[in-house]
Amino acid sequence: MTLIGNLLICVVTVHPTLHTPMYFFLRVLSFLDISTASVVVPKMLVTILSEDRSISYLGCVTQLYCVVFLAATEWYLLAAMAYDRYAAVCRPLRYPAIMSTRACLSLVLLSCCSGKVVSVVQTAWVFSLPLCGPRRINYFFCDIPPLLLLSCADTSRYERQLVSATALVILTPFCLILVSYACIISSILRISSAESRHRTFSTCSSHLTVVTLYCASGTLIYLQPKSSSSQDTKKILALIYTTVIPTLNPLIYSLRNKEVKEVLIRVMAVMMKK
């Protein structure tokens, strides 16, 4: 479902009528969702369906690096998408110049580079800790909170660093998103036509829904990294974060977006004829 939904978004947003920065960012977001599901879900299904529940040390390092990289990149991309909506609503006359092709590519590249830095630092730090526990991860993929429970060293310094990183990766972009939408709502309220207000806000509501889902699950997982009493809750939140939200994103953006629905219907009609 995740692959089909996000691949459809990638195909639909290539349509000539959707060649705008918003749909370019949406296409990148769908690619990141596909990558996240590909890193987590196959190994999870193998673990569920077979007796082999092991993962190599290198496999665990690789999985953690990829998950952190994709999650951090996605957060910075969501901030870039909020800036795009701010430019479209609050600076409509200068919008083509502000969100040029070069600017869009630069924002995506900056998101990826920032995600890579965060991932390298977090992965190197967590695997520098001595892991002398039972070597059994009470989780369905290699993530920071369950790995910290395996360490016999004092991890209080790392936990403080992780909270700071969470603030940098999640809360800072979230604050920038809130500022962008405060400006957007202020501009929307000044529009005289009720129909125009509704149409303008509908282009932003899908993005707000996705941001809320990511922020709620991400902060609850990483703000208390070594709380063993909440591991079951964290597993549910991690499942939502890595598998449910990537599946819901195409539905959120397509069902609440008239342009995407129209192109999707046309694409599906052509596919059925073939």
Side-chain angles (χ1 to χ4, degrees), residues 28-59:
V28 176
L29 180 66
S30 292
F31 175 77
L32 292 175
D33 284 339
I34 290 171
S35 301
T36 300
S38 300
V39 169
V40 174
V41 176
K43 179 60 181 175
M44 179 180 69
L45 294 178
V46 168
T47 301
I48 292 172
L49 298 174
S50 70
E51 295 182 0
D52 182 14
R53 299 191 174 186
S54 64
I55 184 170
S56 66
Y57 183 84
L58 181 59

Side-chain angles (χ1 to χ4, degrees), residues 15 41 56 64 86 94 121 126 137 179 198 214 230 240 257:
H15 196 274
V41 176
S56 66
L64 177 63
Y86 160 78
R94 297 187 58 211
V121 171
V126 74
I137 302 173
V179 170
H198 180 267
Y214 272 120
S230 62
I240 294 171
N257 190 302

Side-chain angles (χ1 to χ4, degrees), residues 2 15 22 176 186 192 195 232 237 250 252 269 273:
T2 303
H15 196 274
M22 181 175 72
L176 293 175
S186 176
S192 57
E195 183 181 350
D232 289 339
L237 291 171
I252 293 171
K273 287 180 180 180

Side-chain angles (χ1 to χ4, degrees), residues 60-74:
C60 191
V61 173
T62 304
Q63 192 177 54
L64 177 63
Y65 171 83
C66 292
V67 168
V68 175
F69 166 71
L70 293 167
T73 301
E74 201 152 320

Side-chain angles (χ1 to χ4, degrees), residues 216-228:
S217 55
T219 52
L220 290 173
I221 292 172
Y222 296 109
L223 285 181
Q224 291 184 311
K226 207 175 177 181
S227 175
S228 59

Side-chain angles (χ1 to χ4, degrees), residues 265-274:
I265 290 170
R266 289 202 295 267
V267 170
M268 293 296 291
V270 171
M271 292 174 63
M272 290 178 66
K273 287 180 180 180
K274 292 182 177 180

Side-chain angles (χ1 to χ4, degrees), residues 184-246:
I184 289 170
I185 292 171
S186 176
S187 296
I188 290 174
L189 293 176
R190 290 197 295 269
I191 299 174
S192 57
S193 170
E195 183 181 350
S196 297
R197 285 199 302 269
H198 180 267
R199 185 172 62 252
T200 304
F201 186 75
S202 66
T203 63
C204 305
S205 57
S206 300
H207 183 247
L208 272 175
T209 303
V210 172
V211 167
T212 303
L213 289 171
Y214 272 120
C215 185
S217 55
T219 52
L220 290 173
I221 292 172
Y222 296 109
L223 285 181
Q224 291 184 311
K226 207 175 177 181
S227 175
S228 59
S229 61
S230 62
Q231 280 303 298
D232 289 339
T233 302
K234 287 182 179 179
K235 280 188 282 187
I236 295 172
L237 291 171
L239 188 68
I240 294 171
Y241 194 90
T242 58
T243 60
V244 177
I245 296 178

Side-chain angles (χ1 to χ4, degrees), residues 9 16 27 29 38 50-51 73 95 123 134 143 149 156 163 266:
I9 291 293
R27 189 158 59 248
L29 180 66
S38 300
S50 70
E51 295 182 0
T73 301
Y95 179 66
T123 304
D143 199 11
L149 293 174
S156 57
V163 171
R266 289 202 295 267

